[in-house]
């Protein structure tokens, strides 16, 4: 990995003026932290006052190669000097090559490019509808605690009431059942069911990997009942588990695991490394279900976006970042496990795989340190980690997520783990 030279910090406190711009002109859809970020380099970012933070959130699993990566910058510059955008009415090489590369990492099939995770999932819903249309089948079974995006169909698919509230009626045709529960899925199948959609590792729901038995059982069940099996890999994909797809990692060494394949996969987040990109892959024989005129998007798979995504794949392969995620991910996991063992009054457990790690905190009622504030434990820890110079992502009330860049260095992981231990310790009674 290259040495990253951080730019000189800007010593000037502009936080209040930035916040004022937001409070006047930006819709208040996010509960934002008291931080205004200014620039970054690798796994570090600096706020407007020049303070440095170790970014273990990676823009929520987006910044695959960290911030201001020189090779991404170079790909952006050289492609933008040739061709930024052409309509999907025309062919261009970068989109074809990127589709080929993604299929190479999964299995033969075809790819559709779009601009976000929610939009990638929309493609899967439409595929399910097209697939079941002539038989009157349209229902999609998804999991409780899932997250599939914020469009109207996305919140309908998502198995969390909080995203639906106030936006009813939902798009029809989604049913939610407990995750990792094959019998619940079997019981939810009706004559109108067309597909099952799950995350390989639930992200927003709190870092819960699918079990190998669930994945294998689901494949068999979907085959028996002629249902499409879709995986939302928006957060857990793109080598975050240590393999291109989390199901590849979860099923490693499991008998029958190497032949497992879903029928469709949605991707986004790390795919563009910060350049907004989404995609979905369909395998044979479903890859041509969406024929000419059935689906589209103006910006999907532009030459510029595809050049960036291709560069990210080149760097991941050249620098063996999947191995880094595996090895360093295991190290982080083990370190956090021993911290959890030392601080049982604050931490309940550690979850996840690779660079998708969840620190499960004790309930407020179980930990006096959390009772000094009425904020959720996850928010309290994330805020105190900001004071310690580390960015992490809350997931619900009890879980703090680490989703760092795939090229995180060992020294940075050590720095992060030390800050996390100190911060968690500060909540001990
Ligand atoms: C982030 C996320 C989405 C939504 O992606 P957007 O790009 O925000 O639309 C969908 N599914 C999962 C699993 C996600 O983590």
């Amino acid at each position: 990995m290259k040495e990253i030279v951080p730019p000189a910090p800007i010593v000037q406190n502009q936080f209040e003026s930035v916040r004022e711009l937001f409070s006047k002109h930006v819709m208040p859809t996010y509960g934002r932290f008291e931080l205004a970020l200014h620039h970054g380099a690798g796994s570090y970012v600096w706020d407007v006052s020049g303070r440095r933070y170790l970014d273990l959130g990676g823009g929520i699993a987006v910044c695959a190669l960290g911030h201001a990566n020189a090779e991404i910058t170079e790909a952006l510059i050289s492609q933008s000097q040739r061709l930024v955008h052409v309509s999907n009415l025309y062919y261009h090489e970068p989109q074809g090559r990127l589709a080929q590369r993604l299929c190479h990492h999964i299995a033969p099939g075809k790819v559709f490019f779009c601009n976000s995770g929610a939009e990638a999932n929309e493609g899967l819903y439409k595929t399910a509808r097209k697939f079941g249309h002539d038989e009157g089948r349209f229902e999609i079974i998804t999991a409780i605690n899932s997250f599939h995006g914020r469009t109207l169909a996305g919140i309908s698919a998502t198995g969390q009431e909080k995203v639906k509230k106030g936006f009813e009626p939902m798009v029809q045709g989604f049913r939610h059942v407990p995750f990792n529960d094959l019998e619940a899925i079997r019981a939810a199948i009706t004559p109108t069911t067309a597909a099952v959609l799950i995350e390989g590792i639930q992200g927003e729901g709190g870092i819960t990997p699918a079990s190998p038995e669930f994945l294998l059982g689901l494949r068999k069940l979907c085959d028996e009942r002629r249902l499409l099996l879709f995986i939302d890999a928006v957060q857990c994909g793109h080598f975050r588990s240590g393999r291109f797809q989390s199901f590849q990692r979860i099923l490693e060494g499991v008998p029958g695991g190497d032949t497992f394949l879903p029928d469709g996969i949605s991707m986004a987040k790390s795919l563009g490394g910060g350049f907004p990109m989404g995609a979905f892959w369909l395998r044979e024989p479903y890859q041509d279900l969406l024929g000419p005129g059935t689906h589209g998007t103006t910006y999907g798979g532009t030459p510029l976006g595809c050049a960036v995504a291709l560069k990210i794949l080149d760097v991941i392969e050249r620098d063996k970042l999947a191995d880094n995620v595996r090895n360093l991910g295991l190290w982080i996991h083990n370190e956090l496990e021993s911290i959890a063992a030392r601080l049982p009054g604050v931490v309940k457990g550690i979850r996840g795989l690779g660079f998708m790690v969840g620190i499960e905190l004790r309930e407020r009622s179980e930990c006096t340190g959390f009772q000094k504030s009425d904020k959720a434990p996850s928010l309290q820890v994330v805020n105190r980690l900001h004071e310690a110079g580390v960015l992490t992502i809350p997931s619900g009330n009890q879980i703090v997520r680490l989703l760092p860049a795939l090229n995180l260095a060992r020294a940075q992981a050590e720095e992060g783990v030390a800050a996390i231990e100190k911060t968690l310790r500060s909540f001990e009674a």
Side-chain angles (χ1 to χ4, degrees):
M1 260 169 267
K2 265 189 322 132
E3 187 75 55
I4 290 161
V5 184
I10 295 164
V11 184
Q12 181 183 19
N13 194 346
Q14 298 172 334
F15 176 70
E16 284 307 332
S17 59
V18 173
R19 176 157 61 184
E20 185 156 315
L21 287 173
F22 273 64
S23 61
K24 282 204 177 125
H25 306 293
V26 179
M27 289 190 197
T29 59
Y30 293 95
R32 288 178 209 270
F33 294 109
E34 303 278 294
L35 265 182
L37 299 173
H38 182 270
H39 60 276
S43 281
Y44 291 106
V45 284
W46 283 260
D47 69 13
V48 288
S49 71
R51 190 155 183 249
R52 191 184 83 166
Y53 301 83
L54 175 66
D55 184 4
L56 297 181
I60 318 192
V62 167
C63 305
L65 302 183
H67 298 280
N69 179 276
E71 288 178 285
I72 292 184
T73 303
E74 165 55 29
L76 280 165
I77 291 170
S78 59
Q79 184 59 49
S80 65
Q81 286 166 338
R82 280 197 298 278
L83 197 60
V84 169
H85 170 87
V86 293
S87 160
N88 275 307
L89 296 172
Y90 310 104
Y91 295 97
H92 62 86
E93 194 188 351
Q95 188 176 129
R97 281 183 44 226
L98 180 58
Q100 179 189 39
R101 289 281 283 279
L102 295 175
C103 290
H104 164 79
H105 284 296
I106 310 169
K110 287 183 184 169
V111 180
F112 175 91
F113 290 100
C114 51
N115 311 283
S116 70
E119 201 185 347
N121 285 329
E122 286 282 340
L124 295 181
Y125 313 143
K126 282 181 73 175
T127 302
R129 291 246 175 144
K130 197 86 181 3
F131 166 76
H133 190 263
D134 293 349
E135 300 171 56
R137 298 198 284 151
F138 61 92
E139 266 188 7
I140 301 173
I141 299 173
T142 69
I144 291 171
N145 264 334
S146 58
F147 182 78
H148 299 297
R150 294 289 192 155
T151 59
L152 205 43
I155 61 175
S156 306
T158 293
Q160 300 190 48
E161 284 312 307
K162 67 180 183 201
V163 306
K164 304 177 193 274
K165 218 172 149 236
F167 298 106
E168 300 87 352
M170 291 291 105
V171 173
Q172 56 166 300
F174 293 96
R175 252 170 214 268
H176 311 308
V177 302
F179 189 53
N180 273 333
D181 185 341
L182 192 61
E183 290 319 305
I185 291 190
R186 194 189 304 277
I189 297 171
T190 72
T192 59
T193 309
V196 175
L197 168 68
I198 58 158
E199 288 159 88
I201 303 172
Q202 286 191 334
E204 302 303 308
I207 315 290
T208 310
S211 70
E213 306 74 47
F214 181 59
L215 289 174
L216 294 178
L218 203 48
R219 181 67 275 177
K220 194 158 164 278
L221 181 62
C222 288
D223 288 342
E224 284 164 10
R225 308 296 291 267
R226 287 195 310 117
L227 307 178
L228 296 179
L229 173 53
F230 292 150
I231 294 197
D232 178 341
V234 169
Q235 189 164 151
C236 64
H238 228 71
F239 299 100
R240 187 150 294 280
S241 66
R243 288 283 296 271
F244 184 63
Q245 287 298 319
S246 63
F247 64 79
Q248 295 166 333
R249 179 78 204 268
I250 291 167
L251 292 170
E252 252 172 27
V254 175
D258 50 356
T259 58
F260 174 92
L261 199 60
D263 301 308
I265 298 175
S266 55
M267 300 165 244
K269 292 200 164 102
S270 286
L271 174 62
F275 193 99
M277 277 199 96
F280 68 99
W281 166 92
L282 293 174
R283 79 171 170 92
E284 293 165 340
Y286 310 113
Q287 55 183 12
D288 297 324
L289 264 177
L290 299 177
T294 60
H295 197 45
T297 178
T298 299
Y299 294 121
T302 61
L304 190 59
C306 291
V308 170
L310 282 164
K311 177 57 73 179
I312 290 170
L313 286 171
D314 287 344
V315 173
I316 289 174
E317 288 164 26
R318 181 197 67 203
D319 294 346
K320 301 194 166 38
L321 295 184
D323 292 343
N324 187 52
V325 170
R326 242 167 213 279
N327 301 333
L328 197 51
L330 183 63
W331 182 85
I332 291 172
H333 197 97
N334 289 340
E335 289 295 308
L336 292 177
E337 287 278 8
S338 36
I339 291 171
R342 289 196 287 277
L343 298 170
V346 183
V347 185
K348 192 166 167 207
I350 306 301
R351 353 170 17 124
L353 266 180
F355 276 6
M356 201 166 166
V357 181
I359 303 168
E360 191 182 4
L361 304 166
R362 291 284 171 198
E363 303 272 342
R364 278 187 86 243
S365 61
E366 297 173 303
C367 171
T368 49
F370 291 141
Q371 286 160 19
K372 291 173 191 143
S373 155
D374 51 15
K375 287 208 169 88
S378 58
L379 284 179
Q380 293 189 44
V381 170
V382 168
N383 275 316
R384 209 169 284 181
L385 276 167
H386 289 168
E387 291 164 26
V390 177
L391 304 188
T392 56
I393 313 278
S395 177
N397 290 337
Q398 299 310 128
I399 289 164
V400 173
R401 270 181 292 176
L402 311 184
L403 301 159
L406 307 182
N407 57 5
L408 185 79
R410 167 69 184 245
Q412 294 166 337
E414 286 173 9
E415 179 189 336
V417 161
I420 288 168
E421 170 154 28
K422 208 167 154 213
T423 299
L424 291 172
R425 197 174 287 286
S426 71
F427 287 96
E428 242 190 347

